[in-house]
Amino acid sequence: ITIDPSDFNNEASSLKEKIHACSRLLRDGESQMSTAGFEVQTIRIATNPFGEWLVTNNEDVNERLQRFNNLLSDCDINFCSLGPSYDPEHTTTICPEIVSIAPGRFSCSANINAGDITAALAAAKCIKAISLKDEGEHLQGGLGNFRFAAASCIDTVPFFPGARAPKGLGKDTIAFAVGLENGGFARELLQEAGSIENVQKVFHDKMRKELLPIQQICVGLESDNGLQYLGIDTSLNPSLDDGGSVAEAFECLDEVGVFGNPGTMAAAAAVTTSLQSIPDVKTTGYSGLMLPVLEDRRLAELDTLS
């Protein structure tokens, strides 16, 4: 959704209306997905960059965050990304405040263009500041940095904490996208492929078969509710479940053996190319290879071994 400063007028009545409309549409989509046999892990909301609506001279930032937080709580929405910071000062001062709001419903990010040292240093300062916060379970042990990211080359993406509304989205338009948790499925696909030369065929055939029913539901939601369907982010995204590691899945390929060995980059290129070109599937976001060392057991294990 796109938020405007005026949405906070009249006790945030306009913002309340947007959140409630989002909640209804998300619950409808969740119900249809579940009925079709898909597990919906979470439903989430992402906004345009917070610098466009949160930072004003008329109201305290914390007060607006608390009001927004309460509206999300009323609708049982537990994840909300407030978009990226484009101002290094906002990155160092406001981003830590955003992720500190209990119970940890808010995420945000900092946009860093290639060669932008000032933005990179601000993001590093923010990450360090968040890591030192421990006021509440949502911050202890460095958990706050699961809700902040230094990000680049993104227009829109459904994955948190980098999620943000697409540029140019009308303030009264609701757009939606789907992100996947598919580490186990990635293992199945790469086991079947066995070799890099087979990756594209297997991914195109099997992912297309799995994703078209999801897309069909999304297209229906778009036409029935006047929404804007952005697509599916086809990225390989690990889980912490047994067999959910993407790095371990890559080790099923003959050319890789151990993730990080010669052949890994070629395999990554083949997988990324395949994910971005699945026939008949509308894609959005990264649609690539996600390798978070804190969320992939095999990747963490290899880091320890090295």
Side-chain angles (χ1 to χ4, degrees):
I1 58 172
T2 296
I3 297 179
D4 184 84
S6 63
D7 288 328
F8 287 88
N9 296 341
N10 301 317
E11 298 186 348
S13 58
S14 178
L15 180 61
K16 180 179 179 179
E17 185 177 324
K18 286 183 179 182
I19 300 303
H20 279 260
C22 266
S23 178
R24 288 193 298 270
L25 295 166
L26 287 168
R27 300 296 176 192
D28 183 19
E30 179 183 35
S31 176
Q32 291 191 42
M33 293 286 186
S34 298
T35 300
F38 297 102
E39 179 183 351
V40 179
Q41 189 183 61
T42 59
I43 55 175
R44 309 183 177 204
I45 293 176
T47 76
N48 51 313
F50 65 81
E52 298 175 3
W53 53 268
L54 179 62
V55 186
T56 70
N57 296 323
N58 302 324
E59 191 173 16
D60 180 70
V61 166
N62 187 267
E63 186 177 340
R64 284 198 168 186
L65 288 172
Q66 292 292 357
R67 183 171 295 182
F68 196 177
N69 193 34
N70 291 337
L71 291 174
L72 292 167
S73 178
D74 291 343
C75 293
D76 198 26
I77 301 293
N78 295 317
F79 300 89
C80 182
S81 174
L82 305 188
S85 164
Y86 287 96
D87 183 333
E89 184 175 350
H90 290 171
T91 301
T92 57
T93 60
I94 298 177
C95 288
E97 188 172 352
I98 288 172
V99 303
S100 296
I101 298 292
R105 188 172 275 113
F106 290 128
S107 298
C108 61
S109 59
N111 187 75
I112 302 178
N113 295 323
D116 191 339
I117 302 301
T118 301
L121 289 173
K125 185 176 180 180
C126 175
I127 291 166
K128 184 174 182 179
I130 292 171
S131 72
L132 297 175
K133 289 179 172 290
D134 60 0
E135 309 92 355
E137 292 183 3
H138 65 297
L139 293 171
Q140 291 175 358
L143 287 177
N145 274 313
F146 276 101
R147 297 188 299 279
F148 175 78
S152 186
C153 301
I154 303 174
D155 176 29
T156 185
V157 64
F159 286 106
F160 279 43
R164 77 280 305 271
K167 294 177 182 177
L169 183 69
K171 73 172 189 174
D172 296 319
T173 302
I174 297 176
F176 71 103
V178 177
L180 309 172
E181 185 174 281
N182 52 11
F185 185 45
R187 184 183 181 89
E188 292 178 24
L189 295 178
L190 292 172
Q191 275 183 328
E192 180 174 339
S195 176
I196 290 174
E197 66 178 353
N198 300 323
V199 165
Q200 186 173 80
K201 183 180 187 308
V202 171
F203 271 64
H204 281 187
D205 290 348
K206 297 300 175 67
M207 286 202 79
R208 179 181 181 276
K209 180 180 178 182
E210 292 293 327
L211 297 183
L212 282 180
I214 297 175
Q215 179 168 273
Q216 185 176 4
I217 294 171
C218 292
V219 170
L221 287 168
E222 179 182 44
S223 61
D224 293 344
N225 298 285
L227 307 175
Q228 182 180 341
Y229 169 53
L230 300 174
I232 300 173
D233 191 322
T234 57
S235 296
L236 295 191
N237 177 31
S239 74
L240 293 173
D241 299 333
D242 289 340
S245 165
V246 170
E248 189 174 47
F250 267 66
E251 294 178 341
C252 296
L253 295 174
D254 293 338
E255 295 89 347
V256 176
V258 176
F259 190 87
N261 278 0
T264 302
M265 290 296 290
V271 167
T272 301
T273 300
S274 302
L275 291 171
Q276 294 176 350
S277 59
I278 298 173
D280 306 318
V281 173
K282 184 178 182 178
T283 60
T284 190
Y286 284 117
S287 290
L289 181 59
M290 298 179 69
L291 294 168
V293 70
L294 296 179
E295 300 176 51
D296 189 303
R297 291 186 184 277
R298 177 58 174 160
L299 203 59
E301 178 186 19
L302 289 167
D303 181 65
T304 302
L305 291 173
S306 66

